[in-house]
Structure formats: structure tokens, C-alpha cells
Amino acid sequence: MKYSVLLSALLVALTLSACDKPTVVTPTVVTVPVPGPAGPTGATGSTGTAGSTGQTGTTGETGSAGEKGKTGATGEAGKTGGDTIVVVPAPAPEPAPAR
């Protein structure tokens, strides 16, 4: 029994020592840079040069004159009338004076 107690003690010691020991992880500290104040505004650039003027086109030719229109047909001569009677209505009588 002496050997069994010794053997058991050795097995326990070996078993416990074979276990993984947790490794301590130290967190990494990240520093975020804070932006500084804005810098001064830059100077205004110079104005560009004006472009060149385009060329003037040539004038087109004048068109030809149109043809003269044809003369229409001549109408018939009017007939002479007979005796014409003009009736003129009689003037309206004047109203009687008020009494």
C-alpha cells in the first residue's frame, strides 16, 4: 500500500501540472488623436484670361425672285336693268299738341 499511495500522489501531481495555465492578457490602449483648430483660409486665385472671339460667318446668297402669278378669268358683263321703282314711305304724322 505504500507504493499505491506514492503512485497516486505522483499521478495527481502530474495531472495537475499538465493542465494549461491561463495566460494573462493585458489590454492594448489605443490613443485617438484629437484634431486641432482649423487653419487659415487660403488666398483667392487669380482670374483667368478671356477667351478669343469666334469668327463671323459669311453672308448667304440672295434667293431668286418667284414667278409672277397668272391673271384670273374675266367675269361676264352685267345685264342692264329695266325700270326700277323706288318706294319712299310717307312721313309720320305729327302728334297733336297737348291741351
Side-chain angles (χ1 to χ4, degrees):
M1 185 157 178
K2 244 178 168 185
Y3 294 113
S4 64
V5 172
L6 183 62
L7 187 59
S8 294
L10 280 175
L11 279 174
V12 169
L14 283 175
T15 305
L16 290 178
S17 67
C19 292
D20 288 334
K21 293 181 183 176
T23 56
V24 177
V25 178
T26 55
T28 305
V29 177
V30 178
T31 56
V32 178
V34 176
T41 305
T44 304
S46 61
T47 305
T49 58
S52 60
T53 305
Q55 296 178 345
T56 304
T58 58
T59 305
E61 296 181 23
T62 304
S64 59
E67 291 184 29
K68 185 176 180 182
K70 296 183 180 181
T71 305
T74 306
E76 294 180 15
K79 295 181 181 179
T80 56
D83 293 335
T84 304
I85 299 174
V86 176
V87 178
V88 177
E94 291 199 20
R99 288 187 194 201

